[in-house]
Amino acid sequence: MDISVIVPLYNEAESLPELAAWIDRVMTENKFSYEVIFCNDGSTDNSWDIICQLHDKYPCMHGMSFRTNHGKSPALHVGFSMAKGDVVITMDADLQDSPDEIPELYRMITEEGYDLVSGWKKKRYDPLSKTIPTKLFNATVRKVSGIKNLHDFNCGLKAYRGEVVKHIELYGDMHRYIPWLAKNAGYKKIGEKVVQHQARKYGTTKFGLDRFVNGYLDLITLWFLNRFGSKPMLVFGLWGTMVFLIGFFAVLFIILHKIYILQTTGTGTLITDMPAFYIALTCMLLGAQLFLAGFLGELISRTAQGRNEYDIAATI
């Protein structure tokens, strides 16, 4: 199969018939063998009914539906596991991504040898409340990830070599960092294509300030996991040991200083009356806790299972 198109969606019933017809037209004109996987993220409208109708009309269009809303990353994760195409295309269901971009994205993967090609909505039709945070976010991710040639990490329109999507793990809201995840998995030939961005035709945007804040929190998480995820003891154990030793030697110094004062003067204040004693003791306790956190992190990282198990209500 040439192409798998994965479409995550939440309450996009109005746009689905038009999107399906558009994709089918593009695939037919270019003689691609294809499948479309609609990943319904627990929509509360009749999106699933529409997907079932589309499956009857277009047998190559399939669907998956979560029983409840899990988020875009889990929807993509399940879609990736279902995909069978040599090239995998992801796009949003709101008609802001154009299926006419698919042939060129396919060519860049198959002929130019890219592992991943990310769309760049150079000209956007979003409000300033969305475009300004997006620019700031992308600038930060470019700096942290080291992928200097991408301008729009969160663009829903992307193309992948089939094997790439089988070797990256999505959970939480990590879909924003798929290029970085692919790079960490060893797929480093990452390109970009300027794509057409269209104004939303139906419904309302799901973007909010919470997504902007969550994006930065996920960025910190991914940076930490990338650096220390497989060996949390390297950071927690190191800092825990350092803080503990600082506290230990400080307590030792206070005790020796107390002994010296007693031998020279015969009098002195109680150690427990000295603020420095409690500061040193606190360092020892914090150091021990950090060390234990690193040790527990090591145990969890080796035994964590079922992180990507979701309650799928139905598939077609």
Side-chain angles (χ1 to χ4, degrees):
M1 183 181 296
D2 294 327
I3 299 175
S4 293
V5 181
I6 299 176
V7 183
L9 62 109
Y10 178 70
N11 291 345
E12 300 286 358
E14 293 176 302
S15 63
L16 290 178
E18 185 174 340
L19 177 63
W22 195 351
I23 293 174
D24 181 69
R25 176 182 61 78
V26 171
M27 298 298 187
T28 302
E29 289 176 353
N30 292 273
K31 297 181 174 58
F32 290 133
S33 59
Y34 78 100
E35 65 177 355
V36 178
I37 303 172
F38 292 104
C39 299
N40 180 34
D41 187 22
S43 296
T44 56
D45 62 2
N46 64 331
S47 292
W48 181 245
D49 294 333
I50 299 296
I51 292 171
C52 292
Q53 295 171 16
L54 291 173
H55 174 67
D56 293 336
K57 184 176 181 180
Y58 307 100
C60 58
M61 296 192 179
H62 316 302
M64 176 280 300
S65 181
F66 287 146
R67 196 175 303 278
T68 59
N69 180 257
H70 288 289
K72 188 174 182 178
S73 290
L76 285 173
H77 176 78
V78 176
F80 285 164
S81 68
M82 296 172 64
K84 299 176 182 178
D86 297 328
V87 174
V88 177
I89 307 286
T90 60
M91 62 171 51
D92 294 335
D94 54 12
L95 297 175
Q96 291 188 282
D97 296 332
S98 172
D100 289 329
E101 306 284 356
I102 291 176
E104 179 60 17
L105 290 171
Y106 178 82
R107 187 196 67 80
M108 293 179 71
I109 296 292
T110 57
E111 296 183 15
E112 297 186 24
Y114 284 103
D115 296 317
L116 184 156
V117 178
S118 182
W120 175 20
K121 297 174 182 176
K122 194 171 183 179
K123 183 179 180 181
R124 303 184 69 99
Y125 294 93
D126 291 323
L128 289 176
S129 61
K130 184 175 181 180
T131 55
I132 292 177
T134 296
K135 288 182 180 295
L136 180 60
F137 171 78
N138 284 313
T140 305
V141 179
R142 277 197 301 273
K143 181 69 174 178
V144 175
S145 68
I147 305 177
K148 306 296 185 181
N149 62 318
L150 294 191
H151 295 82
D152 193 356
F153 281 79
N154 200 26
C155 179
L157 186 57
K158 288 182 173 67
Y160 315 77
R161 276 199 298 123
E163 68 176 87
V164 175
V165 302
K166 306 298 184 181
H167 290 88
I168 57 177
E169 183 183 16
L170 292 181
Y171 56 92
D173 288 316
M174 291 299 177
H175 61 274
R176 301 178 178 93
Y177 309 108
I178 287 179
W180 193 7
L181 294 172
K183 177 186 175 184
N184 292 340
Y187 299 100
K188 299 182 180 180
K189 191 168 183 180
I190 299 173
E192 184 174 67
K193 180 185 181 302
V194 176
V195 297
Q196 180 183 359
H197 182 227
Q198 304 181 126
R200 174 179 278 273
K201 191 172 182 179
Y202 304 105
T204 58
T205 180
K206 311 301 188 296
F207 181 85
L209 183 60
D210 58 330
R211 289 180 60 187
F212 178 67
V213 175
N214 291 341
Y216 274 101
L217 294 177
D218 288 333
L219 178 62
I220 295 171
T221 299
L222 185 56
W223 174 84
F224 181 85
L225 291 175
N226 183 43
R227 293 288 300 274
F228 308 108
S230 60
K231 288 289 183 181
M233 183 62 84
L234 292 179
V235 59
F236 286 108
L238 174 63
W239 284 103
T241 301
M242 291 177 60
V243 173
F244 179 85
L245 289 176
I246 290 172
F248 174 79
F249 286 117
V251 170
L252 186 61
F253 173 79
I254 292 170
I255 294 174
L256 292 175
H257 182 264
K258 173 68 175 179
I259 294 173
Y260 173 76
I261 294 298
L262 288 175
Q263 289 180 345
T264 56
T265 65
T267 59
T269 59
L270 292 173
I271 290 179
T272 53
D273 290 336
M274 302 172 61
F277 172 78
Y278 293 100
I279 295 175
L281 195 61
T282 300
C283 286
M284 293 179 64
L285 291 173
L286 287 176
Q289 289 179 336
L290 285 171
F291 186 89
L292 287 174
F295 179 73
L296 292 175
E298 287 282 331
L299 293 178
I300 293 171
S301 68
R302 298 177 191 277
T303 59
Q305 294 180 352
R307 173 162 64 179
N308 275 308
E309 293 181 359
Y310 307 103
D311 184 11
I312 299 175
T315 60
I316 54 173

